[in-house]
Amino acid sequence: MTTPLLETHNLVKDYAIGGETVHAVNNVSLSISRGEFVAIMGASGSGKSTFMNMIGCLDIPTSGTLLLDGIDTKSLDSDALAEIRNRKIGFVFQQFNLLARTSALDNVAVPLIYAGIGYAERRARAQDKLEAMGLANRLQNTPAKLSGGQQQRVAIARALVTDPLMLLADEPTGALDTQTSLDIMGIFQKLNDDGITVVLVTHEPDIAEYAARRIVFRDGQVIEDAAVKSRRRASVA
């Protein structure tokens, strides 16, 4: 039996808007095991982004329990949550979120600064992750000198540099063309094959088919949670 990496029990997130309470996430209970590749789907306003923010320790639930690697996050202060984000979760975003005037190498090394890693080791680990992404000849390039696909590879290298337990990817192919999107999904599948847990947030059904499990949100609740029946495989370019 696989060990759950992430567990939520009756998770709720409410917002007060115009004198009314909106249940952005409403009583969600689920678990994600180590080594899974999960796609989280739903229309705008379905609750998927709010759920993502909570499992990424970027937002705090109104009520319920969220366990990450066995740790009950509601008992943690902001510093402890920041440490969990840095050490246990790697984030990949649609718009890459790279520092514009900074080299690929230094962009990837940024999380290691917050982890207290020394200069030489930061650069060595950043170079290793970039080389694994096929960017050995792009270490000193700034984002402006990289294609969209290369920028996303830098972002993935940055997410991996702390050796996290989980990659949390928010619409990672949303700003990419079709072929580049397939290349990125190939990278995620390879990482998952190597044992990394991947949670992918997407509104694209075809992208979700590269995951092994699909969770669909509507009106703050899970309406579907099932294995992907005809899973697609992508090659790594």
Side-chain angles (χ1 to χ4, degrees), residues 92-160:
V92 182
F93 301 99
Q94 178 176 342
Q95 298 299 333
F96 320 133
N97 289 5
L98 300 176
L99 300 173
R101 299 182 181 181
T102 303
S103 69
L105 187 67
D106 288 335
N107 262 290
V108 173
V110 166
L112 298 177
I113 297 174
Y114 297 107
I117 305 299
Y119 177 79
E121 184 178 349
R122 289 201 306 267
R123 292 180 69 83
R125 287 171 62 172
Q127 181 171 338
D128 179 65
K129 297 303 183 186
L130 283 167
E131 289 176 351
M133 289 294 113
L135 295 172
N137 61 343
R138 295 287 188 270
L139 302 181
Q140 298 305 323
N141 286 36
T142 60
K145 296 181 180 179
L146 298 170
S147 68
Q150 289 170 335
Q151 289 185 62
Q152 194 59 293
R153 286 172 185 252
V154 172
I156 294 170
R158 180 185 59 193
L160 293 170

Side-chain angles (χ1 to χ4, degrees), residues 45-192:
S46 65
K48 71 179 188 298
S49 295
T50 301
F51 183 76
M52 180 206 72
N53 286 337
M54 288 192 288
I55 66 174
C57 298
L58 296 167
D59 202 356
I60 299 171
T62 302
S63 62
T65 302
L66 191 156
L67 302 174
L68 179 60
D69 195 25
I71 300 170
D72 187 346
T73 59
K74 70 182 177 185
S75 64
L76 303 179
D77 61 18
S78 58
D79 289 340
L81 288 171
E83 184 174 357
I84 281 185
R85 289 194 299 271
N86 184 262
R87 296 184 182 276
K88 296 183 183 293
I89 306 171
F91 294 92
V92 182
F93 301 99
Q94 178 176 342
Q95 298 299 333
F96 320 133
N97 289 5
L98 300 176
L99 300 173
R101 299 182 181 181
T102 303
S103 69
L105 187 67
D106 288 335
N107 262 290
V108 173
V110 166
L112 298 177
I113 297 174
Y114 297 107
I117 305 299
Y119 177 79
E121 184 178 349
R122 289 201 306 267
R123 292 180 69 83
R125 287 171 62 172
Q127 181 171 338
D128 179 65
K129 297 303 183 186
L130 283 167
E131 289 176 351
M133 289 294 113
L135 295 172
N137 61 343
R138 295 287 188 270
L139 302 181
Q140 298 305 323
N141 286 36
T142 60
K145 296 181 180 179
L146 298 170
S147 68
Q150 289 170 335
Q151 289 185 62
Q152 194 59 293
R153 286 172 185 252
V154 172
I156 294 170
R158 180 185 59 193
L160 293 170
V161 77
T162 58
D163 296 321
L165 296 175
M166 176 173 69
L167 279 186
L168 185 54
D170 183 16
E171 302 282 3
T173 62
L176 304 175
D177 62 67
T178 300
Q179 183 56 55
T180 305
S181 295
L182 296 183
D183 293 342
I184 295 302
M185 294 314 299
I187 291 172
F188 283 131
Q189 286 187 328
K190 174 62 166 58
L191 292 169
N192 182 243

